[in-house]
Amino acid sequence: MSKLTYFSGIQPTGNLHLGNYLGAIKQWVQMQSDPDCDLLFCIVDLHAITVPQDPEILRRKNRQVAALYIACGLDPKRVKIFIQSENPDHAYLAWIFSCMVPMGWMERMTQYKDKSKKQGERTSVGLFNYPILMACDFMLYDADLVPVGDDQKQHLELAADIGEKFNNIYGETFKIAKIYNQKETSRIMSLQNPSSKMSKSDIDPSGTINLLDSTDAIEKNVRRAVTDSGKDIIYSPQKPAIANLLAIYSGFSGISISELEKKYKGVNYGDFKNDLAKLLVKELSDIQDKYQKIINKPEYLDRILDEGRDFAISISSKKIALVKEKIGLSRSHS
Ligand code: TYM
């Protein structure tokens, strides 16, 4: 049986938060224990520039996200980590797909609709094309599984439609990847508003806990987190705020939600939050210690990113050659 390929990525914008960790990175780390797979993790800076970025900050963020991937537990000996813009094949395939995808498919993308509503006249064509570039990211490597949070589901469905369309016209060329996530942590909500997802762009900083937050900030935000009426600590749709805190607790402790419900039966919200704050401070300070060591070793990080880039190009360049041949982007032999 041939090896499976897993692919995922994160935009180097804002600060990575608990949602990014529990919805994405933690699954990646677990996938490493499967010996029969190739794992590629990308820092998707071409996606980041769909909205304006400060060049100096973007350059720094590319490095920081790479360091955080490793600090969170990705083993560079086991996985490939690379920066999207260092492999030109992603943008190349995106142009080809852009020429095949009907506008109507793109106009249905809910993330585009939400973001373009906020950005108004400033909305870029790149933001509209964003999901096409995302499809290219993993289709170039014949990924089988794409571990991402729930908010990316529609983009994965679009990618499947693009792959099927291409395969129908030109013959079997692309694998159709499946989304992979764990139900409870696939959508971590804001600590201030359990009906909206934890997000890098939230203007209220108390709704989010970032992976590099100080002990003070972590404790303060957990203490301030909204709770539901009643006093039972149970995982229920009627208790979205407590369910969210339980999902975070379970994600970081490895204790199942039903075990946590038993452990906290009869305990008040305040004590439960204190325990959660302690757990998060401990787990995040481990990540932060590792992060500091890695970010201070620029040559080590460069070596990993160079190797990741070279590996990525060695695979994607073959796919691009095949696609060009199939669609006629080559000279005739006669
Ligand atoms: P991005 O950078 O917004 O988020 C990175 C990952 O974190 C997940 N995530 C969450 N999961 C649970 N709860 C939350 N509140 C939460 N917020 C974010 C996201 O689902 C994602 O997995 N389009 C992607 C980046 C991308 C990509 C790719 C991913 C570009 N190309 C190819 C996979 C494969 C994005 O914007 O992620």
Side-chain angles (χ1 to χ4, degrees), residues 7-13 16-25 28 42 44 47 84 111 115 130 133-135 137-138 146-152 155-156 185-190 197-200:
F7 184 105
S8 198
I10 293 185
Q11 295 190 65
T13 52
L16 300 203
H17 53 66
L18 297 188
N20 301 129
Y21 177 76
L22 294 174
I25 304 174
W28 311 352
C42 192
V44 293
H47 280 102
Q84 185 189 33
Q111 265 199 6
K115 288 188 179 170
Y130 180 115
L133 179 61
M134 177 166 165
D137 292 341
F138 50 88
V146 179
V148 281
D150 199 42
D151 58 343
Q152 301 301 316
H155 293 161
L156 267 286
T185 49
S186 66
R187 199 172 179 80
I188 297 297
M189 309 311 275
S190 156
K197 96 179 165 172
M198 188 177 284
S199 155
K200 289 176 194 162

Side-chain angles (χ1 to χ4, degrees), residues 36-181:
D36 291 319
C37 65
D38 283 326
L39 300 127
L40 285 109
F41 299 110
C42 192
I43 297 141
V44 293
D45 56 347
L46 291 173
H47 280 102
I49 60 164
T50 54
V51 293
Q53 301 292 336
D54 176 312
E56 199 42 57
I57 296 177
L58 182 58
R59 265 191 284 274
R60 224 178 309 132
K61 286 276 170 191
N62 269 339
R63 254 179 195 287
Q64 289 174 352
V65 173
L68 260 177
Y69 281 2
I70 302 165
C72 287
L74 289 185
D75 175 2
K77 292 202 197 80
R78 174 73 188 85
V79 309
K80 303 294 177 198
I81 299 173
F82 71 102
I83 296 176
Q84 185 189 33
S85 64
E86 294 184 1
N87 180 356
D89 293 340
H90 293 239
Y92 192 101
L93 185 61
W95 174 254
I96 294 172
F97 282 171
S98 298
C99 297
M100 292 179 48
V101 175
M103 293 285 283
W105 290 11
M106 304 302 291
E107 281 160 356
R108 283 199 288 276
M109 294 295 109
T110 52
Q111 265 199 6
Y112 170 74
K113 285 196 263 184
D114 292 347
K115 288 188 179 170
S116 60
K117 211 182 283 167
K118 283 187 200 137
Q119 292 176 23
E121 295 272 293
R122 288 174 292 126
T123 308
S124 68
V125 177
L127 189 74
F128 186 67
N129 273 343
Y130 180 115
I132 293 184
L133 179 61
M134 177 166 165
C136 300
D137 292 341
F138 50 88
M139 289 166 72
L140 276 172
Y141 305 95
D142 280 334
D144 297 273
L145 288 182
V146 179
V148 281
D150 199 42
D151 58 343
Q152 301 301 316
K153 194 163 166 242
Q154 197 187 27
H155 293 161
L156 267 286
E157 288 163 2
L158 175 84
D161 289 344
I162 298 173
E164 269 157 25
K165 180 165 181 179
F166 193 102
N167 291 348
N168 281 337
I169 301 174
Y170 299 106
E172 206 58 27
T173 311
F174 289 107
K175 251 192 198 166
I176 307 300
K178 291 200 178 74
I179 189 169
Y180 175 90
N181 60 36

Side-chain angles (χ1 to χ4, degrees), residues 260-274:
L260 287 176
E261 286 175 329
K262 275 186 225 148
K263 179 172 157 99
Y264 286 99
K265 198 170 174 8
V267 175
N268 66 43
Y269 286 164
D271 290 343
F272 169 65
K273 282 182 174 181
N274 278 340

